[in-house]
Amino acid sequence: MNVLAVLSFVLLLQPVVVSAGHFRYGTLSWRPTSASSSRVKFYMNVALQRDYDWGKYFRTQWSTGPTSKPVWQDAGSCYNDGSCCRIASTGCTSTPAAIQNFNVKSTSYVGYLIKFAVGNGYYPLTNGTICDSPYDTGDHPKCEPGGAAAVERFDPYGAKIPFNADPATTAVPCEAANDNDTDYCSPWSSTYGMFYGDGTHEDVTLTVTGVEHDASLDGNLVFASGSWEHTFPGQKKSAQEPWTAFFIGGERLGRVVGKLQNNALGRFRLETRVNVIGQNQAPTAVSPAVVPITYTSRASRSEYGIMSTLQVAAHDMDTAVGGQDQVYFVMGTSAQHGAVLANQVPEGAYLPASKAMGTNPPTSPWHKAEYEAERNKCMQVACAAGGQEVEPDTDGYSRPKDGVVSCDSCPAGGNRWCRQITELNAVNGNLSYRMLPFSCADYPQWDNSRNLAGPPPRMSIDVSTGVITWETGIGPFQVDNGAYADNWDANNDGVLDVTNGTVPAAMQPLAPGFYSVVIEIRSASNDPDCTLFHSAAVCANIGSPSAPAMTYVSTTVDFLVYLHPTPAFCSAACLNTKGGIATFHDGAGFYGDAASTVEEYAEHRYGAPGSGRCAICGGGETAATLLDRSQCVPTSPDCVGTCPGIFVDDDGRPSGSNAKDLNCNTVVPSGSPNLALVPAIASCVVNRRAVWVDQVDGSTPMAVNGGRAVVKGVLGQPVTFDLILEDPDECNELQIDADGLFKGHMMLALPRNGSGITVCSEGVTDCGWDMILGQTVRVGSQRVKRTFTWAAKEMPTDANTHPDKDPRPRNTEVCFRGSDGYLSPARRCVNIVLLRDEVLHWRDQRPELAETVARVGFSGTTPANGTIFYVTPGNTLEVNLSAKQGIGMGPITVLASQGVIPPGATLTDNVSNEGVGTAAFEDPQSVTFMWTPVHGQECTYQVCFLAKNTRADGFPIDYAYTIETNPRIDERCYTIVVARSALALSGAAAWMDAHSSVPATMQALCGATVAMWFRAGAGASTSMPLITLGYIAADGSVTAWQQLTWHTATDGKRWALRLTDASGGGEIASATTVEMACTGEWHFAALTVEASTKNAVTY
């Protein structure tokens, strides 16, 4: 085994969890440095706890910069490695005071550096490697009695744990004395750093990009990012497996102090799958570090569907022909959530271990056996029937009195305790003691779903949209007995778990607080070898949780959601000088941007006065603070203004000469003197969602049918538009952010058969290809605005690029989120469509096509989208389709884009003699769809057509677009109905048989419909049958059950339809319509006999 240096720091012989979880958010992605090598560039973005003791723990270091020759500082964060300041002789400083908290508000800190080394606790990696399995302790197990044979171990799921990352070898050499030290690999529970999956690892340096000093639970953040390059041994790990690179670390929040309800005190693992052979790059994901979300019942809907919802934003920066690659969203696995947790028993005993009494405090029980052992020890000392001694033993454990040990003796909420810890009093700085409570209910037997990492309970994600649906409950103190308002696939397996209207068992609400969420974002690997091992369908189904690893590249995004009740705010007209209810967003109980710098703690956000601050009167996380109107202080009685108040007497009854009740209705006064002015109900207003101000006077691009907005741009010209967010609440804290803006150095055009093109060098700060979201400005007290710009030139001093050389993708999605700090963000996704000045259109009869001289020649015969054609066998349907972009802009192709060309039909290119090009590639281009169906082809057919510019010069495709302000691809879809029979009556014939159109024998389950067009001659004067339904018996007799008759009216010009039904066992029933039909005109009639009945219906 590896023997660690014996130091005086006895308590640090094993890695421990420190006092504050510093991780909040992170994502890791990559792109190739070229299309032909195995060298890639990694990009990492994180949000971490600002006032963490940087430089004190786990080999972290910091520097003021510069990045070229930084001078590192730490406070003794490592003990026996030459890269630490403790050992290094130059370029590094280690003193106990060298701790960085980023706590000086007047200091920017932007550009400071934080280094994350690779290590195992305070030491280097054991044997230079991390354990392959998250459940491997890295320690040789104790030999079984009677021998020294190797020992096989099993993970919590019952599978054998491989030894030294070899799946074929599971037996681990044992040791006679089990010392609990790591021997052959570093366990996940204490290892951190960047690992590439190829046996190598590396320290990571990140640059601070921002600091948030707000001390709220969702604030207090330092933001950092970094990039670096790595060369893999090959473009993928094996024929069927990509490389899996990951940055692993620890210190998620705790449950008691940090309010993290799942994965408390667990690890985090930012993971990305690398496959360079497909000339691809990883998708990128962006999220706030903390996403607020409110309770929503089963019977209610939120922004994106039933119950509580939010949407994850991700993009693929590959800009191949046609736009971005599709991304897919999959809930992260247990391993991607970090796998193992520091299952402390009881929680708080090891934060850090130096606070625990005694000379040999145990490490956190990360694994099942350790957890069960520590739980059993606590039961023995805390759950004896006779009680406990007052003082602990020398190791801080309780000393039990006599009696049977039983969980009945240590119930939840009781006064039994397991361990005593020492800590400094936050007020006076003196050393104090605290007993850590224990109950069997709070620390039950090991359960994988609770004691291992994973997503929040009852949460699912839509694979194609990234919409998360979460069953949270109605509120923190209310059981949900309602029915589901819609269908829901709760297990992400493609099978509906509940359907609309289902009333399941009553659901206890989830606890308010933080929840850890990891989502894997996938896009196609484009691995050309995939079809050698899998079917094309499997290679394309990359959104399936069971998709083979070689089919996709991916990244994970790890973030927090904060579940809370809907807040409420006092009216701005109230006396808001004192804070109200403390919330996760503001511990002082205020909401709103300061309107005056005179206000306490006030700063002018966005450089201009805000809405002003309101006291918070609802949204607390106790029963008493869910809604507390007493926090609002009215300034005038008699329900005047928006902060209405009423006078009450000493019994709380309305009083005064103009008495009002809490709803501001006039009531009879009590007659007693006024004692107090109390707020009426209307003084406390429930928070309302911020909304986008849609396309008015050039504001936010408007979503089409609840989906994405579309902004039309021109190649070679900049794209710009405004985003305006409005809050209907009087007090507000509005913020607009973007989810994944394109950066020029990452905007690669990766044709599947060519080399990548970098349009800007990384590090260029003025790259014109960068999407820019301008500074936030106020538009009054309830609106904020940011301007989006996407330039059409590489450098600011350049001229706009030529349209044919514009490298920006032709169809790009960019999403924005607008937040008020409490409700889940309002998202607005915009498709930016870049077209040429000469836009491709179908030639049809739209008058807009002739509005300008530039559109002359666009008039044509192309049928409108949705046209239905009727044709009978033996007759010919001919449809002419034509498209135009402008003389010489071709070649244009018209093709069938959906559906199937029916057998026998043709699509022929025409020589128009008006365009440029060959018959197949002209501009304008015209094609003819022709079809003569035959008997046996009676059916309904659907076929769609697209027109596109298919130039062979390598530039992106132009598709035919609609004309409106927000254009979209104009696909023309048609329906062709082939009817079997058409009848015409002439001469003296009383009736005519139709061709056989139904089976000779109809079963009882069959129904039938007969429909027809008819016209009675102008001189018609007698009634006549139109449709008769019945049967011919074997003896030739005719039975007519239902008959539809053209029935004469009194004046001989207006007619009616009469339905006669003789199917009722000899009884004849009839019904007649009003006189509505005229002679000499065409009419349509249909007669239906419903399935399994004899009931007739006319239309």
Side-chain angles (χ1 to χ4, degrees), residues 941-986:
Y941 301 82
Q942 291 183 320
V943 62
C944 301
F945 298 91
L946 278 177
K948 66 177 184 177
N949 183 308
T950 56
R951 296 187 305 166
D953 54 10
F955 289 105
I957 295 172
D958 282 330
Y959 288 97
Y961 276 83
T962 56
I963 299 174
E964 60 255 23
T965 302
N966 294 326
R968 62 184 185 279
I969 292 177
D970 191 356
E971 187 176 37
R972 297 295 171 100
C973 294
Y974 306 124
T975 299
I976 304 171
V977 179
V978 181
R980 175 166 252 183
S981 302
L983 302 180
L985 300 179
S986 61

Side-chain angles (χ1 to χ4, degrees), residues 146-160:
V151 177
E152 286 191 327
R153 301 154 307 156
F154 297 86
D155 68 20
Y157 299 98
K160 292 181 180 179

